[in-house]
PDB file of all heavy atoms in Angstrom:
ATOM      1  N   PHE B  56     -19.903   4.778  31.778  1.00  0.00           N
ATOM      2  CA  PHE B  56     -18.875   4.826  32.843  1.00  0.00           C
ATOM      3  C   PHE B  56     -18.472   3.407  33.259  1.00  0.00           C
ATOM      4  O   PHE B  56     -17.294   3.075  33.372  1.00  0.00           O
ATOM      5  CB  PHE B  56     -19.482   5.590  34.029  1.00  0.00           C
ATOM      6  CG  PHE B  56     -18.480   6.067  35.042  1.00  0.00           C
ATOM      7  CD1 PHE B  56     -17.134   6.221  34.722  1.00  0.00           C
ATOM      8  CD2 PHE B  56     -18.896   6.400  36.334  1.00  0.00           C
ATOM      9  CE1 PHE B  56     -16.230   6.687  35.658  1.00  0.00           C
ATOM     10  CE2 PHE B  56     -17.989   6.856  37.279  1.00  0.00           C
ATOM     11  CZ  PHE B  56     -16.662   6.999  36.938  1.00  0.00           C
ATOM     12  N   HIS B  65     -11.149   4.268  38.470  1.00  0.00           N
ATOM     13  CA  HIS B  65     -11.109   5.421  39.371  1.00  0.00           C
ATOM     14  C   HIS B  65     -11.668   5.103  40.755  1.00  0.00           C
ATOM     15  O   HIS B  65     -11.125   5.543  41.764  1.00  0.00           O
ATOM     16  CB  HIS B  65     -11.850   6.604  38.747  1.00  0.00           C
ATOM     17  CG  HIS B  65     -11.148   7.142  37.557  1.00  0.00           C
ATOM     18  ND1 HIS B  65      -9.995   7.875  37.648  1.00  0.00           N
ATOM     19  CD2 HIS B  65     -11.400   7.004  36.234  1.00  0.00           C
ATOM     20  CE1 HIS B  65      -9.573   8.189  36.437  1.00  0.00           C
ATOM     21  NE2 HIS B  65     -10.413   7.658  35.550  1.00  0.00           N
ATOM     22  N   ALA B  66     -12.768   4.323  40.772  1.00  0.00           N
ATOM     23  CA  ALA B  66     -13.350   3.995  42.073  1.00  0.00           C
ATOM     24  C   ALA B  66     -12.366   3.191  42.909  1.00  0.00           C
ATOM     25  O   ALA B  66     -12.244   3.394  44.116  1.00  0.00           O
ATOM     26  CB  ALA B  66     -14.652   3.228  41.895  1.00  0.00           C
ATOM     27  N   ILE B  68      -9.222   3.368  42.998  1.00  0.00           N
ATOM     28  CA  ILE B  68      -8.223   4.266  43.607  1.00  0.00           C
ATOM     29  C   ILE B  68      -8.795   4.915  44.871  1.00  0.00           C
ATOM     30  O   ILE B  68      -8.191   4.869  45.953  1.00  0.00           O
ATOM     31  CB  ILE B  68      -7.802   5.359  42.602  1.00  0.00           C
ATOM     32  CG1 ILE B  68      -7.005   4.719  41.469  1.00  0.00           C
ATOM     33  CG2 ILE B  68      -6.981   6.442  43.301  1.00  0.00           C
ATOM     34  CD1 ILE B  68      -6.640   5.685  40.359  1.00  0.00           C
ATOM     35  N   THR B  69      -9.999   5.475  44.738  1.00  0.00           N
ATOM     36  CA  THR B  69     -10.594   6.177  45.878  1.00  0.00           C
ATOM     37  C   THR B  69     -10.879   5.215  47.040  1.00  0.00           C
ATOM     38  O   THR B  69     -10.601   5.515  48.202  1.00  0.00           O
ATOM     39  CB  THR B  69     -11.890   6.878  45.447  1.00  0.00           C
ATOM     40  OG1 THR B  69     -11.586   7.736  44.353  1.00  0.00           O
ATOM     41  CG2 THR B  69     -12.471   7.691  46.582  1.00  0.00           C
ATOM     42  N   VAL B  70     -11.413   4.029  46.682  1.00  0.00           N
ATOM     43  CA  VAL B  70     -11.719   3.053  47.735  1.00  0.00           C
ATOM     44  C   VAL B  70     -10.447   2.653  48.473  1.00  0.00           C
ATOM     45  O   VAL B  70     -10.420   2.559  49.703  1.00  0.00           O
ATOM     46  CB  VAL B  70     -12.422   1.813  47.129  1.00  0.00           C
ATOM     47  CG1 VAL B  70     -12.457   0.669  48.124  1.00  0.00           C
ATOM     48  CG2 VAL B  70     -13.826   2.175  46.689  1.00  0.00           C
ATOM     49  N   GLU B  72      -7.798   4.427  48.876  1.00  0.00           N
ATOM     50  CA  GLU B  72      -7.392   5.529  49.758  1.00  0.00           C
ATOM     51  C   GLU B  72      -8.245   5.558  51.024  1.00  0.00           C
ATOM     52  O   GLU B  72      -7.722   5.692  52.134  1.00  0.00           O
ATOM     53  CB  GLU B  72      -7.544   6.873  49.023  1.00  0.00           C
ATOM     54  CG  GLU B  72      -6.520   7.076  47.929  1.00  0.00           C
ATOM     55  CD  GLU B  72      -6.933   8.162  46.959  1.00  0.00           C
ATOM     56  OE1 GLU B  72      -8.051   8.721  47.115  1.00  0.00           O
ATOM     57  OE2 GLU B  72      -6.151   8.453  46.040  1.00  0.00           O
ATOM     58  N   LYS B 131      -2.980  11.187  49.730  1.00  0.00           N
ATOM     59  CA  LYS B 131      -4.403  11.114  50.091  1.00  0.00           C
ATOM     60  C   LYS B 131      -4.595  10.280  51.349  1.00  0.00           C
ATOM     61  O   LYS B 131      -5.363  10.633  52.251  1.00  0.00           O
ATOM     62  CB  LYS B 131      -5.220  10.509  48.952  1.00  0.00           C
ATOM     63  CG  LYS B 131      -5.696  11.512  47.933  1.00  0.00           C
ATOM     64  CD  LYS B 131      -4.564  12.262  47.313  1.00  0.00           C
ATOM     65  CE  LYS B 131      -4.388  12.019  45.840  1.00  0.00           C
ATOM     66  NZ  LYS B 131      -3.092  12.470  45.356  1.00  0.00           N
ATOM     67  N   LEU B 197     -13.740   9.913  53.615  1.00  0.00           N
ATOM     68  CA  LEU B 197     -14.285  10.219  52.286  1.00  0.00           C
ATOM     69  C   LEU B 197     -13.926  11.644  51.876  1.00  0.00           C
ATOM     70  O   LEU B 197     -13.441  11.877  50.764  1.00  0.00           O
ATOM     71  CB  LEU B 197     -15.807  10.050  52.297  1.00  0.00           C
ATOM     72  CG  LEU B 197     -16.299   8.599  52.217  1.00  0.00           C
ATOM     73  CD1 LEU B 197     -17.786   8.510  52.497  1.00  0.00           C
ATOM     74  CD2 LEU B 197     -15.970   8.015  50.850  1.00  0.00           C
ATOM     75  N   ILE B 198     -14.142  12.585  52.792  1.00  0.00           N
ATOM     76  CA  ILE B 198     -13.818  13.980  52.488  1.00  0.00           C
ATOM     77  C   ILE B 198     -12.334  14.122  52.163  1.00  0.00           C
ATOM     78  O   ILE B 198     -11.950  14.699  51.144  1.00  0.00           O
ATOM     79  CB  ILE B 198     -14.174  14.901  53.683  1.00  0.00           C
ATOM     80  CG1 ILE B 198     -15.682  14.899  53.912  1.00  0.00           C
ATOM     81  CG2 ILE B 198     -13.674  16.322  53.434  1.00  0.00           C
ATOM     82  CD1 ILE B 198     -16.104  15.633  55.171  1.00  0.00           C
ATOM     83  N   GLY B 199     -11.500  13.530  53.043  1.00  0.00           N
ATOM     84  CA  GLY B 199     -10.057  13.650  52.863  1.00  0.00           C
ATOM     85  C   GLY B 199      -9.617  13.109  51.508  1.00  0.00           C
ATOM     86  O   GLY B 199      -8.832  13.749  50.794  1.00  0.00           O
ATOM     87  N   ALA B 200     -10.128  11.944  51.133  1.00  0.00           N
ATOM     88  CA  ALA B 200      -9.707  11.322  49.874  1.00  0.00           C
ATOM     89  C   ALA B 200     -10.136  12.176  48.682  1.00  0.00           C
ATOM     90  O   ALA B 200      -9.334  12.455  47.778  1.00  0.00           O
ATOM     91  CB  ALA B 200     -10.305   9.919  49.769  1.00  0.00           C
ATOM     92  N   ILE B 201     -11.394  12.630  48.693  1.00  0.00           N
ATOM     93  CA  ILE B 201     -11.900  13.386  47.542  1.00  0.00           C
ATOM     94  C   ILE B 201     -11.187  14.734  47.409  1.00  0.00           C
ATOM     95  O   ILE B 201     -10.712  15.106  46.327  1.00  0.00           O
ATOM     96  CB  ILE B 201     -13.427  13.611  47.678  1.00  0.00           C
ATOM     97  CG1 ILE B 201     -14.159  12.276  47.661  1.00  0.00           C
ATOM     98  CG2 ILE B 201     -13.935  14.510  46.564  1.00  0.00           C
ATOM     99  CD1 ILE B 201     -13.973  11.480  46.405  1.00  0.00           C
ATOM    100  N   ILE B 202     -11.065  15.447  48.527  1.00  0.00           N
ATOM    101  CA  ILE B 202     -10.414  16.761  48.458  1.00  0.00           C
ATOM    102  C   ILE B 202      -8.951  16.601  48.049  1.00  0.00           C
ATOM    103  O   ILE B 202      -8.422  17.380  47.253  1.00  0.00           O
ATOM    104  CB  ILE B 202     -10.501  17.494  49.818  1.00  0.00           C
ATOM    105  CG1 ILE B 202     -11.944  17.637  50.263  1.00  0.00           C
ATOM    106  CG2 ILE B 202      -9.817  18.852  49.740  1.00  0.00           C
ATOM    107  CD1 ILE B 202     -12.749  18.665  49.531  1.00  0.00           C
ATOM    108  N   GLY B 203      -8.312  15.559  48.593  1.00  0.00           N
ATOM    109  CA  GLY B 203      -6.931  15.289  48.208  1.00  0.00           C
ATOM    110  C   GLY B 203      -6.820  15.101  46.704  1.00  0.00           C
ATOM    111  O   GLY B 203      -5.893  15.605  46.062  1.00  0.00           O
ATOM    112  N   GLU B 204      -7.792  14.406  46.140  1.00  0.00           N
ATOM    113  CA  GLU B 204      -7.755  14.175  44.693  1.00  0.00           C
ATOM    114  C   GLU B 204      -8.038  15.454  43.905  1.00  0.00           C
ATOM    115  O   GLU B 204      -7.462  15.669  42.843  1.00  0.00           O
ATOM    116  CB  GLU B 204      -8.776  13.094  44.313  1.00  0.00           C
ATOM    117  CG  GLU B 204      -8.331  11.701  44.732  1.00  0.00           C
ATOM    118  CD  GLU B 204      -9.444  10.664  44.603  1.00  0.00           C
ATOM    119  OE1 GLU B 204     -10.562  11.034  44.190  1.00  0.00           O
ATOM    120  OE2 GLU B 204      -9.186   9.505  44.926  1.00  0.00           O
ATOM    121  N   TYR B 205      -8.911  16.315  44.447  1.00  0.00           N
ATOM    122  CA  TYR B 205      -9.148  17.610  43.795  1.00  0.00           C
ATOM    123  C   TYR B 205      -7.836  18.364  43.655  1.00  0.00           C
ATOM    124  O   TYR B 205      -7.563  19.001  42.648  1.00  0.00           O
ATOM    125  CB  TYR B 205     -10.070  18.500  44.650  1.00  0.00           C
ATOM    126  CG  TYR B 205     -11.548  18.158  44.612  1.00  0.00           C
ATOM    127  CD1 TYR B 205     -12.448  18.853  45.417  1.00  0.00           C
ATOM    128  CD2 TYR B 205     -12.041  17.161  43.773  1.00  0.00           C
ATOM    129  CE1 TYR B 205     -13.796  18.557  45.401  1.00  0.00           C
ATOM    130  CE2 TYR B 205     -13.388  16.858  43.758  1.00  0.00           C
ATOM    131  CZ  TYR B 205     -14.265  17.555  44.572  1.00  0.00           C
ATOM    132  OH  TYR B 205     -15.582  17.265  44.563  1.00  0.00           O
ATOM    133  N   ILE B 206      -7.024  18.299  44.719  1.00  0.00           N
ATOM    134  CA  ILE B 206      -5.866  19.181  44.780  1.00  0.00           C
ATOM    135  C   ILE B 206      -4.727  18.699  43.907  1.00  0.00           C
ATOM    136  O   ILE B 206      -4.035  19.486  43.277  1.00  0.00           O
ATOM    137  CB  ILE B 206      -5.443  19.369  46.244  1.00  0.00           C
ATOM    138  CG1 ILE B 206      -6.461  20.307  46.900  1.00  0.00           C
ATOM    139  CG2 ILE B 206      -4.051  19.945  46.365  1.00  0.00           C
ATOM    140  CD1 ILE B 206      -6.402  20.346  48.368  1.00  0.00           C
ATOM    141  N   GLY B 207      -4.547  17.435  43.851  1.00  0.00           N
ATOM    142  CA  GLY B 207      -3.476  16.968  42.986  1.00  0.00           C
ATOM    143  C   GLY B 207      -3.474  15.459  42.900  1.00  0.00           C
ATOM    144  O   GLY B 207      -3.243  14.803  43.913  1.00  0.00           O
ATOM    145  N   SER B 208      -3.782  14.906  41.723  1.00  0.00           N
ATOM    146  CA  SER B 208      -3.768  13.458  41.609  1.00  0.00           C
ATOM    147  C   SER B 208      -3.760  13.058  40.139  1.00  0.00           C
ATOM    148  O   SER B 208      -3.891  13.895  39.242  1.00  0.00           O
ATOM    149  CB  SER B 208      -5.001  12.881  42.298  1.00  0.00           C
ATOM    150  OG  SER B 208      -6.165  13.352  41.645  1.00  0.00           O
ATOM    151  N   ARG B 209      -3.631  11.768  39.893  1.00  0.00           N
ATOM    152  CA  ARG B 209      -3.674  11.276  38.514  1.00  0.00           C
ATOM    153  C   ARG B 209      -4.882  10.372  38.293  1.00  0.00           C
ATOM    154  O   ARG B 209      -5.013   9.746  37.264  1.00  0.00           O
ATOM    155  CB  ARG B 209      -2.410  10.489  38.210  1.00  0.00           C
ATOM    156  CG  ARG B 209      -1.174  11.361  38.128  1.00  0.00           C
ATOM    157  CD  ARG B 209      -0.002  10.570  37.587  1.00  0.00           C
ATOM    158  NE  ARG B 209       1.218  10.940  38.290  1.00  0.00           N
ATOM    159  CZ  ARG B 209       1.696  10.268  39.326  1.00  0.00           C
ATOM    160  NH1 ARG B 209       1.094   9.185  39.757  1.00  0.00           N
ATOM    161  NH2 ARG B 209       2.798  10.676  39.919  1.00  0.00           N
ATOM    162  N   GLY B 210      -5.742  10.279  39.300  1.00  0.00           N
ATOM    163  CA  GLY B 210      -6.915   9.411  39.122  1.00  0.00           C
ATOM    164  C   GLY B 210      -7.758   9.406  40.375  1.00  0.00           C
ATOM    165  O   GLY B 210      -7.421  10.057  41.369  1.00  0.00           O
ATOM    166  N   GLY B 211      -8.887   8.678  40.337  1.00  0.00           N
ATOM    167  CA  GLY B 211      -9.792   8.641  41.490  1.00  0.00           C
ATOM    168  C   GLY B 211     -11.066   9.399  41.178  1.00  0.00           C
ATOM    169  O   GLY B 211     -11.124  10.190  40.217  1.00  0.00           O
ATOM    170  N   LEU B 212     -12.090   9.166  41.980  1.00  0.00           N
ATOM    171  CA  LEU B 212     -13.395   9.790  41.705  1.00  0.00           C
ATOM    172  C   LEU B 212     -13.316  11.306  41.816  1.00  0.00           C
ATOM    173  O   LEU B 212     -13.953  12.027  41.049  1.00  0.00           O
ATOM    174  CB  LEU B 212     -14.453   9.240  42.663  1.00  0.00           C
ATOM    175  CG  LEU B 212     -14.789   7.755  42.458  1.00  0.00           C
ATOM    176  CD1 LEU B 212     -15.672   7.237  43.580  1.00  0.00           C
ATOM    177  CD2 LEU B 212     -15.455   7.536  41.103  1.00  0.00           C
ATOM    178  N   GLY B 213     -12.519  11.806  42.761  1.00  0.00           N
ATOM    179  CA  GLY B 213     -12.375  13.249  42.928  1.00  0.00           C
ATOM    180  C   GLY B 213     -11.721  13.869  41.696  1.00  0.00           C
ATOM    181  O   GLY B 213     -12.140  14.925  41.207  1.00  0.00           O
ATOM    182  N   TRP B 214     -10.704  13.168  41.220  1.00  0.00           N
ATOM    183  CA  TRP B 214     -10.041  13.641  39.994  1.00  0.00           C
ATOM    184  C   TRP B 214     -11.053  13.663  38.854  1.00  0.00           C
ATOM    185  O   TRP B 214     -11.156  14.628  38.096  1.00  0.00           O
ATOM    186  CB  TRP B 214      -8.878  12.700  39.663  1.00  0.00           C
ATOM    187  CG  TRP B 214      -8.228  13.037  38.348  1.00  0.00           C
ATOM    188  CD1 TRP B 214      -7.233  13.954  38.143  1.00  0.00           C
ATOM    189  CD2 TRP B 214      -8.554  12.488  37.069  1.00  0.00           C
ATOM    190  NE1 TRP B 214      -6.905  14.025  36.820  1.00  0.00           N
ATOM    191  CE2 TRP B 214      -7.703  13.125  36.127  1.00  0.00           C
ATOM    192  CE3 TRP B 214      -9.452  11.527  36.621  1.00  0.00           C
ATOM    193  CZ2 TRP B 214      -7.748  12.822  34.772  1.00  0.00           C
ATOM    194  CZ3 TRP B 214      -9.497  11.222  35.276  1.00  0.00           C
ATOM    195  CH2 TRP B 214      -8.650  11.864  34.355  1.00  0.00           C
ATOM    196  N   MET B 215     -11.858  12.575  38.718  1.00  0.00           N
ATOM    197  CA  MET B 215     -12.850  12.463  37.657  1.00  0.00           C
ATOM    198  C   MET B 215     -13.862  13.609  37.737  1.00  0.00           C
ATOM    199  O   MET B 215     -14.272  14.165  36.709  1.00  0.00           O
ATOM    200  CB  MET B 215     -13.543  11.108  37.779  1.00  0.00           C
ATOM    201  CG  MET B 215     -14.671  10.858  36.791  1.00  0.00           C
ATOM    202  SD  MET B 215     -14.155  11.032  35.078  1.00  0.00           S
ATOM    203  CE  MET B 215     -13.716   9.377  34.644  1.00  0.00           C
ATOM    204  N   ILE B 216     -14.242  13.984  38.975  1.00  0.00           N
ATOM    205  CA  ILE B 216     -15.226  15.055  39.145  1.00  0.00           C
ATOM    206  C   ILE B 216     -14.659  16.389  38.637  1.00  0.00           C
ATOM    207  O   ILE B 216     -15.294  17.072  37.840  1.00  0.00           O
ATOM    208  CB  ILE B 216     -15.651  15.176  40.622  1.00  0.00           C
ATOM    209  CG1 ILE B 216     -16.515  13.972  41.005  1.00  0.00           C
ATOM    210  CG2 ILE B 216     -16.437  16.467  40.862  1.00  0.00           C
ATOM    211  CD1 ILE B 216     -16.843  13.874  42.472  1.00  0.00           C
ATOM    212  N   THR B 217     -13.429  16.747  39.051  1.00  0.00           N
ATOM    213  CA  THR B 217     -12.868  18.026  38.572  1.00  0.00           C
ATOM    214  C   THR B 217     -12.664  17.991  37.062  1.00  0.00           C
ATOM    215  O   THR B 217     -12.953  18.959  36.363  1.00  0.00           O
ATOM    216  CB  THR B 217     -11.499  18.344  39.230  1.00  0.00           C
ATOM    217  OG1 THR B 217     -10.783  17.138  39.407  1.00  0.00           O
ATOM    218  CG2 THR B 217     -11.681  19.047  40.552  1.00  0.00           C
ATOM    219  N   TYR B 218     -12.175  16.852  36.570  1.00  0.00           N
ATOM    220  CA  TYR B 218     -11.925  16.699  35.135  1.00  0.00           C
ATOM    221  C   TYR B 218     -13.221  16.896  34.346  1.00  0.00           C
ATOM    222  O   TYR B 218     -13.277  17.676  33.395  1.00  0.00           O
ATOM    223  CB  TYR B 218     -11.339  15.310  34.895  1.00  0.00           C
ATOM    224  CG  TYR B 218     -11.100  14.987  33.447  1.00  0.00           C
ATOM    225  CD1 TYR B 218      -9.967  15.461  32.779  1.00  0.00           C
ATOM    226  CD2 TYR B 218     -12.003  14.186  32.734  1.00  0.00           C
ATOM    227  CE1 TYR B 218      -9.746  15.155  31.448  1.00  0.00           C
ATOM    228  CE2 TYR B 218     -11.784  13.879  31.410  1.00  0.00           C
ATOM    229  CZ  TYR B 218     -10.656  14.369  30.767  1.00  0.00           C
ATOM    230  OH  TYR B 218     -10.459  14.075  29.457  1.00  0.00           O
ATOM    231  N   SER B 219     -14.311  16.215  34.756  1.00  0.00           N
ATOM    232  CA  SER B 219     -15.584  16.291  34.032  1.00  0.00           C
ATOM    233  C   SER B 219     -16.193  17.684  34.135  1.00  0.00           C
ATOM    234  O   SER B 219     -16.780  18.173  33.177  1.00  0.00           O
ATOM    235  CB  SER B 219     -16.596  15.274  34.572  1.00  0.00           C
ATOM    236  OG  SER B 219     -15.991  14.026  34.722  1.00  0.00           O
ATOM    237  N   THR B 220     -16.051  18.299  35.310  1.00  0.00           N
ATOM    238  CA  THR B 220     -16.615  19.633  35.473  1.00  0.00           C
ATOM    239  C   THR B 220     -15.993  20.599  34.472  1.00  0.00           C
ATOM    240  O   THR B 220     -16.674  21.423  33.872  1.00  0.00           O
ATOM    241  CB  THR B 220     -16.376  20.158  36.908  1.00  0.00           C
ATOM    242  OG1 THR B 220     -16.756  19.155  37.820  1.00  0.00           O
ATOM    243  CG2 THR B 220     -17.202  21.411  37.175  1.00  0.00           C
ATOM    244  N   SER B 221     -14.685  20.460  34.248  1.00  0.00           N
ATOM    245  CA  SER B 221     -14.023  21.395  33.341  1.00  0.00           C
ATOM    246  C   SER B 221     -14.509  21.206  31.906  1.00  0.00           C
ATOM    247  O   SER B 221     -14.371  22.100  31.087  1.00  0.00           O
ATOM    248  CB  SER B 221     -12.507  21.248  33.444  1.00  0.00           C
ATOM    249  OG  SER B 221     -12.142  19.939  33.090  1.00  0.00           O
ATOM    250  N   ARG B 227     -21.497  13.050  34.199  1.00  0.00           N
ATOM    251  CA  ARG B 227     -20.420  12.231  34.755  1.00  0.00           C
ATOM    252  C   ARG B 227     -20.167  12.606  36.230  1.00  0.00           C
ATOM    253  O   ARG B 227     -19.954  11.746  37.079  1.00  0.00           O
ATOM    254  CB  ARG B 227     -19.162  12.412  33.902  1.00  0.00           C
ATOM    255  CG  ARG B 227     -17.902  11.721  34.412  1.00  0.00           C
ATOM    256  CD  ARG B 227     -18.121  10.232  34.654  1.00  0.00           C
ATOM    257  NE  ARG B 227     -18.593   9.498  33.508  1.00  0.00           N
ATOM    258  CZ  ARG B 227     -17.802   8.939  32.591  1.00  0.00           C
ATOM    259  NH1 ARG B 227     -16.507   9.060  32.650  1.00  0.00           N
ATOM    260  NH2 ARG B 227     -18.329   8.272  31.590  1.00  0.00           N
ATOM    261  N   VAL B 228     -20.231  13.932  36.499  1.00  0.00           N
ATOM    262  CA  VAL B 228     -20.059  14.371  37.890  1.00  0.00           C
ATOM    263  C   VAL B 228     -21.107  13.691  38.777  1.00  0.00           C
ATOM    264  O   VAL B 228     -20.800  13.148  39.840  1.00  0.00           O
ATOM    265  CB  VAL B 228     -20.191  15.906  38.008  1.00  0.00           C
ATOM    266  CG1 VAL B 228     -20.164  16.331  39.470  1.00  0.00           C
ATOM    267  CG2 VAL B 228     -19.065  16.588  37.250  1.00  0.00           C
ATOM    268  N   CYS B 231     -20.399  10.082  39.409  1.00  0.00           N
ATOM    269  CA  CYS B 231     -19.374   9.919  40.450  1.00  0.00           C
ATOM    270  C   CYS B 231     -19.977  10.111  41.835  1.00  0.00           C
ATOM    271  O   CYS B 231     -19.679   9.362  42.768  1.00  0.00           O
ATOM    272  CB  CYS B 231     -18.254  10.929  40.254  1.00  0.00           C
ATOM    273  SG  CYS B 231     -17.249  10.592  38.818  1.00  0.00           S
ATOM    274  N   ILE B 232     -20.857  11.121  41.925  1.00  0.00           N
ATOM    275  CA  ILE B 232     -21.449  11.395  43.232  1.00  0.00           C
ATOM    276  C   ILE B 232     -22.329  10.232  43.669  1.00  0.00           C
ATOM    277  O   ILE B 232     -22.352   9.845  44.845  1.00  0.00           O
ATOM    278  CB  ILE B 232     -22.222  12.729  43.179  1.00  0.00           C
ATOM    279  CG1 ILE B 232     -21.172  13.845  43.134  1.00  0.00           C
ATOM    280  CG2 ILE B 232     -23.130  12.891  44.381  1.00  0.00           C
ATOM    281  CD1 ILE B 232     -21.710  15.224  43.106  1.00  0.00           C
ATOM    282  N   VAL B 234     -21.780   7.139  42.948  1.00  0.00           N
ATOM    283  CA  VAL B 234     -20.874   6.094  43.442  1.00  0.00           C
ATOM    284  C   VAL B 234     -20.415   6.419  44.865  1.00  0.00           C
ATOM    285  O   VAL B 234     -20.391   5.556  45.742  1.00  0.00           O
ATOM    286  CB  VAL B 234     -19.651   5.956  42.508  1.00  0.00           C
ATOM    287  CG1 VAL B 234     -18.673   4.938  43.075  1.00  0.00           C
ATOM    288  CG2 VAL B 234     -20.095   5.548  41.120  1.00  0.00           C
ATOM    289  N   LEU B 235     -20.093   7.703  45.096  1.00  0.00           N
ATOM    290  CA  LEU B 235     -19.643   8.102  46.442  1.00  0.00           C
ATOM    291  C   LEU B 235     -20.752   7.879  47.464  1.00  0.00           C
ATOM    292  O   LEU B 235     -20.497   7.440  48.597  1.00  0.00           O
ATOM    293  CB  LEU B 235     -19.228   9.575  46.460  1.00  0.00           C
ATOM    294  CG  LEU B 235     -17.881   9.863  45.801  1.00  0.00           C
ATOM    295  CD1 LEU B 235     -17.647  11.363  45.737  1.00  0.00           C
ATOM    296  CD2 LEU B 235     -16.772   9.185  46.588  1.00  0.00           C
TER     297      LEU B 235
END
Side-chain angles (χ1 to χ4, degrees):
Chain B
F56 196 21
H65 292 287
I68 291 175
T69 304
V70 167
E72 289 162 357
K131 273 58 115 195
L197 282 169
I198 295 173
I201 297 299
I202 303 286
E204 287 169 0
Y205 283 176
I206 285 166
S208 62
R209 290 190 219 96
L212 293 171
W214 175 86
M215 177 56 93
I216 289 172
T217 36
Y218 177 80
S219 313
T220 312
S221 60
R227 175 54 57 88
V228 174
C231 290
I232 287 181
V234 176
L235 285 174

